[in-house]
Amino acid sequence: MTSVVHAIVGCGRIAPNHADGFGILPDVELRWACDRDETVAKAFAAKYGIPRFSADLDEVLADPELTSVTVSVDHAQHAAVAERALRAGKHVLVEKPFTTRVSDARAVVALAQQSGLVLSVISQHRYDAVVTAVRSWIDEGLLGTLTQASVVQESYRDRAYYSDYWHGTREGEGGSALINQGYHSFDVLRLLCGDLTVTSAASGALALGDVMENEDTLAALLRGPNGLIATYAITVTGTVEWRTRIGITGTDGSVVIDIDQPGLLHFCAGSAELLARAETLRSQLTVEPPPGTSYYGIGHRKQIAEFCAAIVDGTPIRASATEGLATIELIDAIYTAAGQRP
Ligand SMILES: NC(=O)c1ccc[n+]([C@@H]2O[C@H](COP(=O)([O-])OP(=O)(O)OC[C@H]3O[C@@H](n4cnc5c(N)ncnc54)[C@H](O)[C@@H]3O)[C@@H](O)[C@H]2O)c1
């Protein structure tokens, strides 16, 4: 018997990663492609061999066998679509960022908890081999007490990217460089450092202000456990489509990694044990062709497998909804510090 019957709601850029992730799992049927533009839903269903398509979310949610939905629409609608699905009794996997308003995310988490339904927010780079390895080295104390962390990300987007109905708009995207492209490296920073608080932030539309209402460049200073000092910087100006560097320094060792495709360990210093772990990791890193845009990576597969396992037997999901909530709470605090929130 098929234990998971799934629908993808929003058949745009990221939807192929969901079609791939659900499509490769046994005992999972990807049954519906839903997009408010019916021609998009129909074409997506045909391309990925999905048996049913619709422009009407209510028709999809009325399917009594449907267990779950992906919410991969624009940021501003994440909360409303997730809420409709949860109220229809469906488990929900929502794309990042969870929502544009923290209060909406809290309400959706509460609804899922009351309903006993699985809710997860995509953070595929938490599943990158280099990220999980560094997280375990930190847990084992191999880096000692963390003192410093830094992230630099460049993710150039051309003007055409901001010409659709939602990118670059205050309402539709809820911010730009940080909450959209920077979300990934920022969430990994949170994963590696633990609880962070915002000290200060600055942002501006330095090059793309003619096509966006939000920031194209942002930097923040944060504090973490034991006084750790973290700096975070993202820009969607420049010429580089995707480049990340995440550095973590502790009293006993330091690493520099990326979450590009594939994620790499660029630098490691510390004890003989840490260097041996680094060597093992480097020998194990493999290049798997990603199913969608290259820098989206392959992590959706692992998170989707965890999501389906959670539906079937309650296995915990590493990229939980509460983690997704904590990340947007901190992003909201950065925007407030930068003067981008009313
Ligand atoms: N995890 C990643 O690496 C990654 C990469 C890209 C995008 N994303 C995220 O995925 C989400 C979607 O982004 P995208 O770039 O795929 O967007 P997109 O604009 O390419 O696609 C969105 C689609 O949703 C449809 N839609 C809008 N409202 C709808 C509704 N109410 N019901 C049904 N369909 C609706 C639109 O017609 C469109 O086809 C965003 O949250 C984005 O941040 C994540």
Side-chain angles (χ1 to χ4, degrees):
M1 198 190 96
T2 305
S3 42
V4 173
V5 179
H6 193 74
I8 295 175
V9 183
C11 302
R13 290 178 188 79
I14 198 58
N17 293 65
H18 290 261
D20 170 78
F22 285 95
I24 60 174
L25 291 174
D27 299 328
V28 171
E29 180 189 341
L30 179 54
R31 181 175 291 178
W32 289 92
C34 175
D35 196 288
R36 68 181 179 188
D37 183 336
E38 194 175 51
T39 57
V40 171
K42 185 178 181 183
F44 189 79
K47 184 167 181 184
Y48 292 97
I50 302 169
R52 301 185 201 175
F53 66 90
S54 179
D56 180 0
L57 180 57
D58 287 332
E59 181 191 7
V60 176
L61 295 176
D63 179 346
E65 291 174 0
L66 189 78
T67 52
S68 47
V69 303
T70 283
V71 179
S72 47
V73 299
D74 53 273
H75 298 175
Q77 294 189 79
H78 283 190
V81 175
E83 185 183 333
R84 278 171 75 184
L86 289 167
R87 290 200 186 283
K90 314 302 181 189
H91 307 284
V92 170
L93 178 60
V94 60
E95 262 297 341
K96 48 59 60 175
F98 193 169
T99 62
T100 51
R101 291 193 185 89
V102 170
S103 56
D104 289 346
R106 290 188 185 132
V108 175
V109 167
L111 181 59
Q113 284 168 349
Q114 285 155 19
S115 320
L117 293 162
V118 177
L119 175 66
S120 174
V121 179
I122 285 286
S123 188
Q124 77 266 27
H125 293 291
R126 283 184 172 228
Y127 296 82
D128 290 0
V130 70
V131 172
T132 57
V134 171
R135 179 64 254 179
S136 68
W137 300 344
I138 292 169
D139 287 342
E140 290 175 62
L142 288 169
L143 270 69
T145 302
L146 300 190
T147 51
Q148 177 177 275
S150 67
V151 175
V152 178
Q153 179 172 344
E154 286 188 68
S155 297
Y156 170 67
R157 296 293 179 271
D158 62 16
R159 286 179 159 67
Y161 178 82
Y162 298 99
S163 65
D164 68 7
Y165 72 95
W166 67 279
H167 286 104
T169 67
R170 201 165 290 131
E171 255 322 284
E173 198 175 16
S176 280
L178 173 60
I179 202 168
N180 199 340
Q181 288 75 31
Y183 184 93
H184 300 281
S185 58
F186 186 72
D187 188 59
V188 167
L189 179 73
R190 270 199 64 244
L191 174 73
L192 298 180
C193 293
D195 285 341
L196 295 169
T197 55
V198 181
T199 298
S200 61
S203 67
L206 307 184
L208 297 167
D210 55 327
V211 288
M212 63 154 66
E213 296 174 328
N214 305 316
E215 84 290 357
D216 61 25
T217 304
L218 178 145
L221 181 64
L222 304 107
R223 298 299 292 247
N226 301 307
L228 171 140
I229 297 175
T231 54
Y232 181 86
I234 167 81
T235 186
V236 293
T237 64
T239 59
V240 178
E241 197 178 30
W242 187 268
R243 176 181 180 275
T244 60
R245 288 293 182 275
I246 301 171
I248 306 283
T249 298
T251 50
D252 295 339
S254 51
V255 295
V256 178
I257 65 169
D258 72 53
I259 54 165
D260 304 343
Q261 169 58 28
L264 295 176
L265 175 66
H266 293 274
F267 175 82
C268 182
S271 65
E273 174 65 18
L274 181 60
L275 296 181
R277 300 290 191 92
E279 224 24 67
T280 305
L281 173 70
R282 283 196 177 105
S283 70
Q284 288 170 346
L285 288 174
T286 52
V287 183
E288 278 182 62
T293 301
S294 66
Y295 50 82
Y296 297 170
I298 54 167
H300 278 82
R301 285 182 189 153
K302 289 184 179 150
Q303 188 169 348
I304 287 168
E306 280 192 3
F307 176 73
C308 291
I311 291 173
V312 172
D313 61 20
T315 307
I317 303 178
R318 280 173 282 172
S320 65
T322 47
E323 280 298 295
L325 170 59
T327 294
I328 62 152
E329 283 173 338
L330 201 55
I331 285 174
D332 198 61
I334 289 177
Y335 280 140
T336 301
Q340 274 186 241
R341 290 284 188 256

